[in-house]
């Protein structure tokens, strides 16, 4: 395998790592919002159970469905399709590579007989830039703002769960 082929594989691996980070960030954002919604449902279900409006089984089913909804939202957000070469484009944009990685991957996907000398030169140019690529810096994954709201709602749920309704 030539150095160009191993370089293209390295570019592809870096682009896939950047895409995983894009997916993770998106899944965290969607999952945090879904968690907030599920916690609101849980607060209402537990409160209604405490005052006797809901039965035990119904409350447990509602809580299980809320938890399943969070997992489903996270899974759907992770599996949403990304634009073609999203990872390579993110690396290009962050490092100022002017689409070198995205172009190299597009050119390398073509059979060697169909590539022009320009395409081979573009691939070599991109391979020379592999050392500067950092997916972690190009696609930072931060905690979503909704995590604070989820923490507050979890505190409210805890308070509701600790509250005792006495029947005389």
């Amino acid at each position: 395998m030539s150095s160009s082929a191993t370089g293209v594989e390295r570019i592809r691996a870096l682009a896939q790592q950047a895409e995983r980070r894009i997916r993770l960030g998106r899944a965290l954002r969607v999952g945090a919002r879904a968690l907030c919604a599920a916690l609101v449902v849980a607060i209402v279900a537990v409160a209604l159970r405490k005052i006797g409006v809901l039965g035990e089984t119904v409350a447990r089913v509602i809580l299980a469905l809320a938890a399943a909804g969070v997992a489903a939202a996270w899974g759907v957000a992770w599996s949403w399709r990304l634009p073609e070469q999203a990872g390579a484009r993110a690396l290009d944009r962050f490092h100022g590579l002017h689409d070198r990685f995205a172009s190299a991957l597009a050119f390398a996907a073509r059979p060697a007989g169909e590539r022009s000398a320009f395409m081979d030169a573009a691939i070599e140019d991109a391979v020379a830039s592999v050392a500067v690529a950092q997916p972690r810096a190009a696609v930072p994954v931060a905690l979503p703002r909704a995590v604070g709201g989820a923490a507050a709602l979890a505190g409210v749920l805890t308070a509701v769960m600790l509250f005792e309704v006495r029947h005389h």
Side-chain angles (χ1 to χ4, degrees), residues 32-92:
R33 289 184 188 134
L35 180 60
C36 288
L39 285 169
V40 168
V41 169
I43 290 167
V44 171
V46 169
L48 291 176
R49 173 64 190 121
K50 292 271 186 177
I51 61 174
V53 174
L54 289 180
E56 183 81 20
T57 305
V58 174
R60 286 179 187 230
V61 168
I62 290 171
L63 293 175
L65 288 174
V70 172
W74 196 89
V76 167
W78 177 270
S79 63
W80 274 338
R81 190 177 184 133
L82 289 173
E84 190 173 341
Q85 298 178 351
R89 292 184 194 285
L91 289 167
D92 286 335

Side-chain angles (χ1 to χ4, degrees), residues 70-152:
V70 172
W74 196 89
V76 167
W78 177 270
S79 63
W80 274 338
R81 190 177 184 133
L82 289 173
E84 190 173 341
Q85 298 178 351
R89 292 184 194 285
L91 289 167
D92 286 335
R93 194 171 34 254
F94 180 78
H95 294 295
L97 297 176
H98 307 288
D99 289 333
R100 283 187 183 121
F101 286 169
S103 297
L105 291 177
F107 295 155
R110 300 181 76 156
E114 292 181 15
R115 289 196 298 243
S116 67
F118 169 76
M119 292 177 178
D120 289 332
I123 291 171
E124 292 297 327
D125 184 41
V127 168
S129 302
V130 166
V132 301
Q134 298 174 351
R136 183 173 288 199
V139 185
V141 179
L143 281 180
R145 293 179 57 169
V147 170

